[in-house]
Amino acid sequence: MTDCRFTRAASLGEAVDCLQQAGGEAHLLAGGIALGILMNEKLLEPSWLIDLSRLEDLKGIRLNPDGSLRIGAMTTHREIERSAEIAGAYPMLIEMAREIACGRIKNRGTIGGNICLADPQGDPPVAMIALRATLRAVGPSGPRDIAATAFFTDLYTTALTKDELLHEIQVPAQADHTGAAFGKFSARRAMDYSSTVSAAVRLVRDAVSGRISDIGIGIGGAGLIPIWAQATEAALRDNRPDGDALAAMREALMEEIEPIGDDLYSADYKRHVASVILRRTLERAYARAAAVGGADKP
Amino acid sequence: MTIEISLQVNGVSHKFAVSPTETLVDLLRRRLGLTGTNKDCGMGICGACTVMLDGLPVSSCILLASQADGAAVTTIEAIERDGRLSPVQEAFLRHGASQCGYCTPGFIITASALLAENPHPSRDEIVEALKGNLCRCTGYKRIVEAVESVARQGGPT
Ligand SMILES: Cc1cc2nc3c(=O)[nH]c(=O)nc-3n(C[C@H](O)[C@H](O)[C@H](O)COP(=O)(O)OP(=O)(O)OC[C@H]3O[C@@H](n4cnc5c(N)ncnc54)[C@H](O)[C@@H]3O)c2cc1C
Ligand code: FES
Ligand code: FES
């Protein structure tokens, strides 16, 4: 066993200094869930662990007066699921958190660790793509904002450089007539984290015409990374979600996803499931947009 | 490198020097001899290693001992009180909710944490709370019934 260094960072600056000194050889410890598995499976023998648990800067949920939302990277899935502020303004994120594993995992797992792990099955990444969130990183030269749509670059790889860490997630205020929903298909309702397919949809419905004037779609479990379904968004934009638009949506989606077959489901089956889950989630988001209207939004 | 940590286990304060990669389940079993907490998958999936960390169920197989520094850990050994089984343990016996028993400590910890927070959960809430614990013997029905029987005791359903 190699010797491992351990630093419990007392400030963001200290964490970044350690990352810089380590030159890519350190691992940030958030909930420790993914790192714990990798160590138990002997896939990782860390040489330096940097514990983020004492960084108050990385914690907490704040709904700003302008309706935007700030979630610190060290916020647990449990804290998100139970946040009254999020429930009021971003119910899709509550739906998303409910889909994650089970209580034991939600009590420790953090949204920052989840997003930085960049697992293609992960739920928060696709929700943040649909919501057009900004991920604020901190590095030696200060903060840097990265769009969630540009954050996931390859399998388990993000746009963060090796001396940056994720500080917080910023979700923009939602326009009037916005509806959003999260949908997930899994073989078993809990603890399925390998064969799932998920869809996150946020849309703005024109109150007069009923057309979708703005839309964000993230698809999980359908490729090497959490997918920003740009062409699928384009197929739905300026349309009502009915016959022709849904057919165009399906066609665009098939071009954008590249699911990987596994022990349970073939790649083809996952393709089919992705289009069904997306349609259902879209319909839920659309119905919600009709129900919220504009006047009763904050 | 070793790290000095202090933690409370079942009400008793301890200090340990741990390696940065030592897991809580190994510390509990090997150093304290608290072998009631089982280790099975080592991947957060099965729930056999569930303990309470400051009252919340967690998987001790993927929790580093260093992460428990300053916290209070409760294991299955502390669920009975004054040598008497807790109501949840009694109910598991009465309902035949344990067969080989390997999963049982994890279920009892998870159910006890649920009931501490919500003394009268509905059946759906019980199933939701237990959904991450795996049992290969009982088929779950008797486990849910056992917890339901405790949830009904002394109050509305
Ligand atoms: C059985 C099981 C089922 C699961 N099911 C689901 C599910 O259904 N849906 C889902 O979305 N997730 C699921 N997960 C994942 C889980 O929710 C965790 O979020 C995830 O494992 C990582 O979170 P963590 O906080 O423990 O991160 P850690 O393990 O601490 O870190 C993960 C990675 O991110 C890096 N990192 C952590 N924080 C930062 C930061 N601030 N800046 C930069 N890098 C950072 C670490 O260095 C590491 O590489 C499951 C996990 C398990 C074990
Ligand atoms: S042994 Fe920890 S969850 Fe299975
Ligand atoms: S009683 Fe045997 S695994 Fe549950």
Side-chain angles (χ1 to χ4, degrees), chain A residues 3-6 8 30-32 37 39-41 49 54 78 82 101-102 104-105 107-108 188-191, chain B residues 1 3 20-21 42-45 47 50 53 56-59 61-63 66-67 69 117 128 131-132 134:
Chain A
D3 203 31
C4 178
R5 279 177 82 173
F6 180 88
R8 187 170 284 151
I37 296 173
M39 290 189 275
N40 284 346
E41 294 291 298
L49 287 173
R54 304 298 145 100
R78 171 192 165 93
R82 295 180 178 227
C102 66
R104 261 180 311 111
I105 300 296
N107 290 341
R108 293 293 311 172
R188 186 182 190 271
R189 260 205 58 235
M191 312 315 289
Chain B
M1 171 171 180
I3 318 158
T21 55
M43 296 173 73
I45 296 171
T50 308
L53 188 75
L56 295 180
V58 299
S59 286
C61 69
I62 48 173
L63 187 77
S66 68
Q67 293 180 290
D69 188 12
E117 193 189 359
E128 175 65 27
K131 72 181 184 181
L134 302 185

Side-chain angles (χ1 to χ4, degrees), chain B residues 4-5 9-10 13 26 34 46 51 53 60 71 82 89-90 96 102 118 121 124 138 143 151:
Chain B
E4 303 289 324
I5 63 165
V9 180
N10 300 336
S13 297
D26 287 345
L34 295 173
C46 72
V51 300
L53 188 75
S60 62
D82 307 321
Q89 290 172 313
E90 288 283 3
Y102 204 80
N118 173 6
D124 284 351
T138 65
I143 295 178

Side-chain angles (χ1 to χ4, degrees), chain A residues 26-37 52 58 73-74 77 99-101 105 108-117 121-125 160 164-167 184 191-193 196, chain B residues 43-45 62 67:
Chain A
H27 291 269
L28 296 166
L29 181 64
I33 287 177
L35 291 178
I37 296 173
L52 303 177
L58 263 60
M74 287 295 285
H77 303 313
E99 291 292 346
I100 297 175
I105 300 296
R108 293 293 311 172
T110 66
I111 187 152
N114 187 296
I115 288 175
C116 293
L117 181 65
Q121 309 293 136
D123 296 311
L160 292 177
E164 281 179 329
L165 61 87
L166 179 64
H167 179 189
K184 183 158 155 184
M191 312 315 289
D192 186 354
Y193 185 40
T196 56
Chain B
M43 296 173 73
I45 296 171
I62 48 173
Q67 293 180 290

Side-chain angles (χ1 to χ4, degrees), chain B residues 97-104 107 134-138 143:
Chain B
S98 179
Q99 287 181 25
C100 81
Y102 204 80
C103 68
T104 309
F107 270 101
L134 302 185
C135 174
R136 295 289 83 145
C137 303
T138 65
I143 295 178

Side-chain angles (χ1 to χ4, degrees), chain A residues 197 259-273:
Chain A
V197 178
I260 299 157
D262 58 39
D263 303 356
L264 282 178
Y265 306 124
S266 68
D268 275 348
Y269 183 69
K270 287 188 182 182
R271 280 181 175 277
H272 171 69
V273 164

Side-chain angles (χ1 to χ4, degrees), chain B residues 3-40:
Chain B
I3 318 158
E4 303 289 324
I5 63 165
S6 39
L7 72 169
Q8 248 193 36
V9 180
N10 300 336
V12 182
S13 297
H14 296 271
K15 283 194 191 309
F16 294 103
V18 300
S19 98
T21 55
E22 181 169 351
T23 59
L24 182 64
V25 70
D26 287 345
L27 181 145
L28 293 171
R29 292 180 57 93
R30 293 181 189 164
R31 301 212 203 188
L32 291 174
L34 295 173
T35 52
T37 302
N38 289 331
K39 181 172 167 185
D40 185 6

